[in-house]
């Protein structure tokens, strides 16, 4: 008996994996060989999916290996890409494996943007194809038996894994074929078939009958458990239930047969006969109920021969008492199979296409580390820039170093000339004007892209709300308002950044407006600049004094401190350290990554010395500025003061401040321009994400609408009408037979059946035909005139139960009230001996029409016997 159950494959719609994955790779990794390698891997993954689920698969181990490789690859990339509805949105559509669909409704399918759903469906196909490969093996040799048992256990393990993980992977109800109850039943069926294969191998190897009986009894138990589970699975094919019932009986019969041999060896002849009788009853039950699905003739003959011989020997020789079946010792059990656990990688030839790409948790840890690093560096650089601004402000307020350089009183100080030259080289007011002019255009571009993204989300959400209102509880998918929360939050952050940038732009413009005239003065030629500065001789008496020398020394030291800060800033920006290995090691050791602790520790180790140098530099500057203030007070006391000198000093101070303002404004405007340009790329990526998710939602919406239309088409359009009583009269036996024929088969109990098999209803009796003489007399005496019966009369022939009943005739006045009985044509060689031939011989004139005159009392006109020729 080699009837085994195999599971059909699920079918999937085509999905392009390469495009969304390449988008994510391009947005996450810098351009270069690494990015190109990952994009090529994404294309290979797309080809692998087409090979695994995009074409019909042969029932061969190579096809199963392709499915295993694709499943392993899905498990690997799940941890490396952020698959979700609002990040990498890939919608996978799969049909129910057991739902054949209908003419108008189509088959049941489910579309989810969930890679866990794809994994479950692919693993289902792995189990299904493993069952098909196992059922195709040649069980007449040892290799085929081993291979079949191996793949049945693999299939059982695959279905068992889906049972344990499908609900947590999908977070919703799956299709019927993936429900935990269904895949649990399939796992039990595969396990029972694997145990049966071990029984067949033990029988083929002629092992001890005690072992064979235990293997068969265990297989019977597995089939019984599978049958119990299958009774409540209406979605499985109709032949599964009777096959399981038959296998349960057959395995039990084999167990009893081999146990009877063991009883014979132990001289327990009564037990031998009792077990053989039970086995014969079980096989007889299978032959009578399930002969359409399994063939047990060979087993039945073997048991019958053994039973006949045992009875004969016992009757003539041993005379042993035959015990009841319930008094016999139970047969032992020996399980040789278990579901093969699913451990990645399943494939022995698997190679991760994204082997160099770190897991998503490591990527997130790296992102957190980079944020902490950027925050630390920006804080240190900000402190140094602030110190430089403070230094410049103090010197500008003291008119240093111009005050110590302006000893003649009629020449431009050297520091002012250098500042003027620096401003002119950087473009002066023309550069500032152009940068300020460009800012609104950059701002407007960012706003337009951002508002377009919000518009796309709003339109899709409005459509989703309309359909939710229309279909109500039938519209089962994540509401757009919930799905877009993170995207809208990100968009609101971009909008807030733009608002802050607008405020910062206004501040820069106001500061520029206040300093523009002085900056423009710095941009003039040396002669015009000299003419704009009043002449005076405030420090002529201080030439060569010790106070001036001390001030110049302190100013030179302050310049050295500034240069040291510039070097520290470059050094901070140039430091780089790859934390990937640290995070991978932590993930491998602990299973999780404590990003904060690891990042803080490493940043302190890498940047600790630089932080100390920055603090020392700032402290040194503070001491120098204090000394400069003290020395300048001494310098101011010794300096001659008059109106012209004060005016000259004020102009020189303004020029120094204008230079510092120019440098700061130029830096701010360049930073703002860079901010807007960088923000354009961020908002464009945000727009692409919005566009991708809106497109995916649109595709999902179309699929869901199609499914809803099909489900509505399958629903009955009107309630069923009651059948009239006369249409159901006389067909009770047929209905009963039909109901009996559709009843689900039940497995044989552990003891012999007490009830007999229900018989089909008896055929109706054949019509009663008259004898030859009566038929001849009836034909010869056909009346030519039948009087019309009264309205209440019924022809005698109508009472004959063996004749077919005609439809009910009306009884209103004017209708004859009955029907004329016509004789049944009966073949007899002499019945037409007194009648003319129906057709004239060749060459003879046609027969004349009947000339019978009209009969009185007959309401219908007389017709000729034969139509005129």
């Amino acid at each position: 008996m080699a009837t085994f159950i195999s599971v059909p494959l699920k079918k999937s719609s085509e999905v392009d994996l390469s495009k969304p994955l390449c988008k994510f790779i391009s947005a996450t990794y810098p351009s270069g060989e690494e990015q190109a390698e990952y994009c090529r891997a994404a294309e290979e993954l797309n080809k692998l999916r087409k090979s695994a689920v995009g074409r019909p698969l042969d029932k061969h181990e190579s096809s199963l290996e392709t499915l295993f490789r694709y499943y392993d690859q899905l498990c690997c990339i799940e941890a490396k890409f952020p698959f979700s509805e609002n990040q990498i949105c890939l919608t996978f559509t799969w049909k129910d494996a057991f739902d054949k669909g209908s003419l108008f409704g189509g088959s049941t399918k489910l579309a989810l943007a969930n890679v866990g759903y794809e994994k479950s469906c692919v693993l289902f196909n792995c189990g299904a194809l493993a069952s098909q490969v196992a059922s195709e093996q040649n069980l007449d040799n040892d290799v085929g038996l081993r291979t079949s048992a191996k793949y049945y256990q693999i299939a059982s393990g695959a279905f068992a894994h889906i049972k344990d993980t499908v609900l947590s992977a999908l977070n919703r109800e799956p299709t019927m074929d993936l429900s935990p109850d269904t895949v649990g039943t399939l796992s039990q069926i595969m396990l029972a078939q694997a145990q049966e294969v071990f029984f067949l191998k033990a029988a083929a190897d002629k092992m001890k009958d005690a072992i064979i009986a235990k293997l068969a009894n265990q297989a019977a138990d597995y089939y019984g458990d599978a049958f119990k589970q299958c009774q409540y699975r209406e979605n499985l094919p109709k032949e599964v239930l009777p096959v399981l019932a038959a296998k349960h009986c057959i395995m039990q019969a084999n167990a009893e047969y081999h146990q009877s041999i063991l009883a014979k060896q132990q001289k327990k002849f009564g037990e031998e006969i009792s077990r053989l009788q039970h086995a014969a009853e079980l096989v007889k039950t299978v032959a009578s109920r399930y002969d359409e699905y399994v063939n047990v003739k060979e087993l039945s003959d073997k048991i019958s021969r053994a039973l006949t011989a045992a009875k004969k020997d016992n009757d003539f020789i041993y005379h042993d008492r035959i015990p009841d079946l319930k008094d016999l010792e139970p047969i032992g059990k020996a399980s040789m199979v278990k579901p093969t656990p699913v451990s990645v990688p399943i494939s022995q030839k698997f190679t991760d296409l994204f082997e160099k790409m770190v897991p998503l948790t490591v990527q997130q840890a790296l992102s957190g580390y980079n944020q902490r690093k950027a925050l630390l560096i920006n804080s240190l650089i900000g402190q140094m820039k602030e110190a430089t601004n403070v230094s410049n402000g103090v010197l500008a307020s003291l008119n240093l170093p111009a005050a110590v350089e302006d000893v003649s009183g009629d020449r431009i100080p050297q520091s002012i000339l250098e500042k003027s030259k620096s401003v002119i080289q950087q473009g002066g007011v023309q550069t500032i004007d152009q940068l300020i002019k460009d800012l609104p255009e950059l701002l407007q571009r960012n706003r337009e892209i951002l508002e377009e993204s919000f518009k796309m989300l709003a339109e899709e959400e409005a459509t989703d709300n309309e359909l939710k209102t229309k279909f109500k509880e039938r519209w089962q998918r994540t509401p757009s308002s919930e799905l877009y929360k993170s995207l809208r939050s990100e968009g609101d952050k971009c909008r807030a950044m733009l608002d802050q940038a607008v405020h910062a732009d206004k501040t820069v413009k106001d500061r520029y407006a206040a300093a523009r005239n002085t900056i423009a003065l710095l941009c003039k030629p040396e002669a015009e600049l000299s003419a704009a500065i009043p002449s005076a001789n405030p420090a002529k008496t201080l030439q060569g004094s010790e106070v001036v020398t001390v001030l110049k020394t302190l100013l030179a030291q302050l310049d050295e401190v500034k240069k040291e800060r510039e070097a520290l800033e470059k050094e901070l920006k140039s430091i780089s350290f790859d934390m990937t290995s640290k995070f991978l090691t932590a993930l491998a050791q602990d299973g999780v990554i404590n990003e904060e602790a690891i990042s803080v520790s490493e940043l302190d180790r890498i940047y600790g010395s630089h932080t100390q140098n920055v603090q020392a530099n700032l402290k040194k500057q503070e001491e120098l500025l204090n000394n400069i203030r003290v020395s300048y007070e001494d310098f101011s006391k010794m300096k001659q003061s008059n109106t012209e000198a004060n005016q000259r000093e004020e102009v020189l101070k303004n020029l120094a401040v204008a230079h510092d303002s120019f440098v700061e404004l130029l830096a701010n405007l360049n930073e703002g321009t860079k901010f807007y340009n960088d923000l354009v790329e961020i908002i464009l990526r945000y727009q692409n994400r919005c566009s991708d998710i809106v497109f995916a939602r649109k595709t999902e919406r179309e699929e869901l609408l199609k499914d809803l239309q099909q489900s509505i088409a399958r629903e009955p359009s009107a309630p069923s009408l009651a059948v009239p009583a006369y249409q159901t009269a006389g067909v009770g036996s047929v209905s009963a037979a039909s109901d009996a024929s559709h009843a689900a088969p039940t497995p044989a109990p552990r003891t012999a059946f007490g009830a007999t098999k229900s018989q089909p209803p008896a055929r109706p009796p054949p019509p009663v035909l008259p004898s030859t003489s009566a038929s001849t007399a009836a034909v010869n005496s056909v009346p030519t005139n039948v009087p019309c019966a009264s309205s209440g009369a019924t022809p005698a022939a109508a009472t004959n139960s063996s004749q077919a009943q005609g439809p009910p005739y009306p009884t209103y006045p004017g209708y004859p009230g009955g029907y004329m009985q016509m004789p049944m044509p009966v073949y007899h060689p002499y019945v037409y001996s007194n009648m003319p031939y129906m057709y004239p011989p060749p060459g003879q004139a046609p027969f004349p029409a009947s000339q019978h005159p009209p009969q009185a009392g007959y309401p219908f006109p007389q017709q000729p016997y034969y139509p005129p020729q």
Side-chain angles (χ1 to χ4, degrees):
M1 202 281 300
T3 300
F4 289 95
I5 297 171
S6 59
V7 182
L9 297 175
K10 291 175 70 68
K11 294 182 181 179
S12 173
S13 301
E14 184 177 356
V15 178
D16 185 5
L17 298 179
S18 60
K19 184 177 179 181
L21 292 183
C22 288
K23 274 189 176 182
F24 173 80
I25 292 168
S26 301
T28 306
Y29 297 91
S31 301
E33 180 59 30
E34 183 183 26
Q35 183 187 107
E37 182 180 353
Y38 291 156
C39 289
R40 288 194 295 270
E43 293 174 358
E44 288 297 322
L45 176 63
N46 194 50
K47 293 179 182 177
L48 180 60
R49 187 184 193 275
K50 290 182 178 179
S51 300
V53 302
R55 62 181 180 89
L57 296 177
D58 298 330
K59 298 178 182 180
H60 193 267
E61 297 177 27
S62 60
S63 299
L64 189 58
E65 181 68 23
T66 303
L67 273 174
F68 285 162
R69 283 179 52 219
Y70 180 53
Y71 178 80
D72 291 337
Q73 192 63 66
L74 284 175
C75 294
C76 290
I77 67 171
E78 187 179 20
K80 298 181 179 181
F81 290 94
F83 292 103
S84 64
E85 288 185 279
N86 54 6
Q87 294 189 56
I88 300 181
C89 186
L90 286 169
T91 302
F92 301 100
T93 304
W94 288 83
K95 295 182 179 179
D96 192 308
F98 301 110
D99 187 6
K100 304 302 181 183
S102 60
L103 181 60
F104 299 103
S107 58
T108 303
K109 58 184 176 181
L110 177 63
L112 290 178
N114 187 340
V115 74
Y117 175 55
E118 174 84 348
K119 283 174 52 183
S120 298
C121 294
V122 172
L123 187 58
F124 182 94
N125 274 7
C126 291
L129 189 58
S131 71
Q132 296 177 14
V133 172
S135 63
E136 291 292 316
Q137 299 301 313
N138 182 8
L139 302 183
D140 294 333
N141 58 68
D142 188 68
V143 175
L145 289 167
R146 289 178 181 273
T147 305
S148 181
K150 170 187 172 183
Y151 283 114
Y152 277 133
Q153 292 177 86
I154 290 176
S156 179
F159 293 131
H161 186 79
I162 297 172
K163 176 186 177 182
D164 297 335
T165 60
V166 64
L167 293 181
S168 59
L170 270 63
N171 294 322
R172 60 159 293 168
E173 284 295 323
T175 50
M176 288 295 293
D177 57 344
L178 286 181
S179 66
D181 292 338
T182 300
V183 291
T185 300
L186 295 177
S187 176
Q188 186 65 32
I189 292 173
M190 296 300 112
L191 196 66
Q193 294 186 153
Q195 179 74 16
E196 181 184 356
V197 172
F198 271 99
F199 158 75
L200 294 175
K201 186 178 186 306
D205 294 345
K206 301 186 183 303
M207 298 180 71
K208 293 182 179 180
D209 290 288
I211 296 176
I212 299 175
K214 291 179 180 179
L215 292 174
N217 198 36
Q218 182 66 70
D221 265 12
Y222 283 153
Y223 276 120
D225 293 341
F227 177 84
K228 292 176 184 177
Q229 298 178 25
C230 190
Q231 279 182 309
Y232 308 102
R233 304 271 72 79
E234 297 179 357
N235 59 317
L236 294 178
K238 63 178 182 178
E239 64 271 9
V240 172
L241 198 64
V243 168
L244 292 178
K247 289 291 194 74
H248 171 73
C249 298
I250 292 170
M251 287 295 102
Q252 193 175 351
N254 276 294
E256 297 288 359
Y257 172 75
H258 287 279
Q259 191 70 18
S260 72
I261 298 177
L262 182 63
K264 182 179 180 180
Q265 294 171 357
Q266 296 173 352
K267 308 298 184 182
K268 299 177 180 179
F269 303 106
E271 178 183 345
E272 175 193 10
I273 294 173
S274 180
R275 293 192 182 278
L276 287 174
Q277 285 176 343
H278 186 206
E281 291 170 355
L282 291 169
V283 173
K284 182 179 179 182
T285 301
V286 174
S288 61
R289 292 188 177 188
Y290 313 121
D291 57 336
E292 179 183 352
Y293 304 100
V294 294
N295 181 11
V296 291
K297 186 177 185 308
E298 182 179 352
L299 178 62
S300 177
D301 293 344
K302 180 170 64 174
I303 294 173
S304 297
R305 289 195 300 269
L307 179 59
T308 302
K311 283 184 176 181
K312 182 178 179 181
D313 291 345
N314 192 56
D315 290 343
F316 288 96
I317 303 174
Y318 306 114
H319 304 288
D320 196 5
R321 185 183 67 84
I322 301 175
D324 291 337
L325 187 64
K326 62 183 180 181
D327 297 333
L328 297 178
E329 184 179 352
I331 303 174
K333 300 173 186 176
S335 177
M336 299 296 294
V337 296
K338 63 179 180 178
T340 302
V342 176
S343 58
V344 179
I346 308 175
S347 171
Q348 299 178 353
K349 303 177 182 178
F350 173 67
T351 302
D352 188 3
L353 296 173
F354 299 91
E355 184 176 5
K356 296 181 180 179
M357 182 181 288
V358 297
L360 190 60
T361 52
V362 177
Q363 294 180 28
Q364 294 170 347
L366 287 172
S367 177
Y369 166 78
N370 289 331
Q371 290 178 1
R372 296 178 190 277
K373 173 184 172 182
L375 185 64
L376 175 62
I377 292 176
N378 291 336
S379 175
L380 294 175
I381 293 177
Q383 292 178 27
M384 290 189 290
K385 286 185 176 180
E386 181 66 22
T388 301
N389 292 335
V390 169
S391 172
N392 292 338
V394 170
L395 295 181
S397 66
L398 302 176
N399 192 25
L400 294 175
V404 295
E405 294 172 353
D406 187 23
V407 291
S408 63
D410 55 359
R411 290 188 296 110
I412 303 175
Q414 184 62 32
S415 60
I416 298 298
L417 287 176
E418 291 177 356
K419 286 178 173 61
S420 174
K421 184 179 179 181
S422 173
V423 171
I424 292 173
Q425 286 178 349
Q426 296 182 62
V429 292
Q430 291 82 6
T431 301
I432 302 291
D433 290 339
Q434 185 62 42
L435 288 173
I436 290 178
K437 181 181 177 181
D438 293 341
L439 287 180
E441 297 179 4
L442 297 172
L443 173 66
Q444 185 63 24
R445 183 184 177 193
N446 282 278
R447 283 199 184 279
E448 289 176 355
I449 298 173
L450 188 60
E451 294 305 323
E452 181 65 26
S453 303
F454 276 112
K455 183 180 178 182
M456 284 191 296
L457 296 180
E459 290 177 352
E460 199 284 326
E461 182 177 350
T463 304
D464 184 70
N465 291 336
E466 290 177 4
L467 293 171
K468 178 67 175 176
T469 305
K470 180 179 179 180
F471 293 103
K472 297 181 179 178
E473 66 277 358
R474 288 174 180 247
W475 194 250
Q476 296 180 351
R477 71 168 184 169
T478 306
S480 297
S481 56
E482 296 181 9
L483 188 62
Y484 296 157
K485 281 183 180 178
S486 59
L487 279 175
R488 284 208 168 91
S489 175
E490 187 176 343
D492 291 337
K493 289 180 181 178
C494 293
R495 183 179 283 170
M497 292 169 63
L498 287 175
D499 293 339
Q500 292 176 0
V502 170
H503 179 72
D505 293 346
K506 185 178 182 301
T507 303
V508 170
K509 290 178 182 178
D510 293 342
R511 289 173 55 198
Y512 176 62
R516 189 180 190 283
N517 293 333
T518 311
I519 295 173
L521 181 60
L522 275 176
C523 297
K524 292 183 180 297
E526 183 178 349
E528 295 183 20
L529 181 60
S530 178
I533 301 174
S535 298
N537 192 11
K540 183 177 291 186
T541 58
L542 297 176
Q543 293 182 4
S545 67
E546 183 179 355
V547 175
V548 174
T549 304
V550 170
L551 273 176
K552 288 182 177 180
T553 302
L554 291 173
L555 291 173
Q557 291 177 358
L558 187 61
D559 287 339
E560 290 296 326
V561 170
K562 290 181 179 178
K563 291 178 181 178
E564 182 181 347
R565 278 202 297 268
E566 292 176 357
L568 281 172
E569 182 176 348
K570 291 180 180 178
E571 190 174 352
L572 284 172
K573 291 180 178 179
S574 64
I575 293 176
S576 62
F577 183 77
D578 189 8
M579 290 287 294
T580 304
S581 58
K582 290 278 185 182
F583 288 133
L584 285 174
T585 302
L587 183 63
Q589 291 178 350
D590 304 331
V592 293
I593 299 177
N594 189 348
E595 181 270 327
E596 182 178 0
I598 297 174
S599 297
V600 170
S601 174
E602 288 299 314
L603 288 174
D604 183 63
R605 182 182 67 82
I606 298 170
Y607 294 96
S609 59
H610 296 81
T611 303
Q612 295 175 2
N613 293 336
V614 169
Q615 299 302 324
N617 180 277
L618 297 179
K619 185 176 182 180
K620 186 176 181 181
Q621 174 181 294
E622 186 178 357
E623 294 175 355
L624 286 172
L625 288 176
N626 290 332
N627 293 334
I628 288 173
R629 288 190 185 96
V630 172
S631 297
Y632 184 77
E633 288 179 1
D634 296 339
F635 175 77
S636 299
K637 292 177 183 179
M638 296 174 63
K639 186 173 61 173
Q640 297 178 358
S641 177
N642 53 51
T643 304
E644 293 180 355
N646 291 336
Q647 291 178 350
R648 180 180 177 83
E649 184 174 355
E650 187 67 26
V651 171
L652 292 177
K653 285 182 181 180
N654 291 337
L655 289 174
V657 170
H659 169 266
D660 294 339
S661 298
F662 174 82
V663 173
E664 187 176 356
L665 288 170
L666 185 62
N668 290 339
L669 289 171
N670 285 329
E671 185 178 354
T673 302
K674 182 177 183 298
F675 165 78
Y676 283 125
N677 289 329
D678 292 344
L679 190 61
V680 166
E681 296 182 4
I682 295 174
I683 296 179
L684 280 175
R685 287 199 295 269
Y686 173 76
Q687 185 187 38
N688 289 336
R689 288 173 55 196
C690 292
S691 176
D692 290 344
I693 192 172
V694 166
F695 178 78
R697 294 282 286 180
K698 179 182 177 182
T699 305
E700 182 185 12
R701 181 175 70 239
E702 292 173 352
E703 291 286 342
L704 190 54
L705 279 173
K706 184 178 178 181
D707 293 343
L708 283 174
Q709 291 170 356
Q710 291 175 351
S711 64
I712 292 172
R714 287 194 290 263
E715 293 178 355
S717 58
S720 57
L721 300 176
V723 181
Y726 73 84
Q727 294 186 12
T728 59
V731 295
S733 59
V734 178
S735 299
S738 176
D739 294 342
S741 64
H742 288 83
T746 55
R750 305 295 290 186
T751 57
F753 281 94
T756 59
K757 181 182 176 183
S758 58
Q759 298 297 325
R763 295 180 179 178
V768 178
L769 301 179
S771 61
T772 303
S773 59
S775 300
T776 305
V779 173
N780 292 335
S781 61
V782 174
T784 58
N785 180 19
V786 180
C788 181
S790 64
S791 60
T794 302
T799 62
N800 190 349
S801 61
S802 66
Q803 298 294 330
Q805 302 296 316
Y809 287 92
T811 58
Y812 51 81
Y815 191 81
Y819 64 94
M820 183 178 66
Q821 181 179 10
M822 299 298 293
M824 298 292 292
V826 179
Y827 175 75
H828 194 277
Y830 304 104
V831 72
Y832 297 105
S833 58
N834 298 326
M835 297 180 64
Y837 292 102
M838 295 183 65
Y839 300 99
Q844 181 177 336
F847 293 112
S850 174
Q851 302 300 324
H852 291 288
Q855 300 291 326
Y858 191 72
F860 303 103
Q862 295 296 305
Q863 300 294 332
Y865 283 112
Y866 307 104
Q869 300 294 326

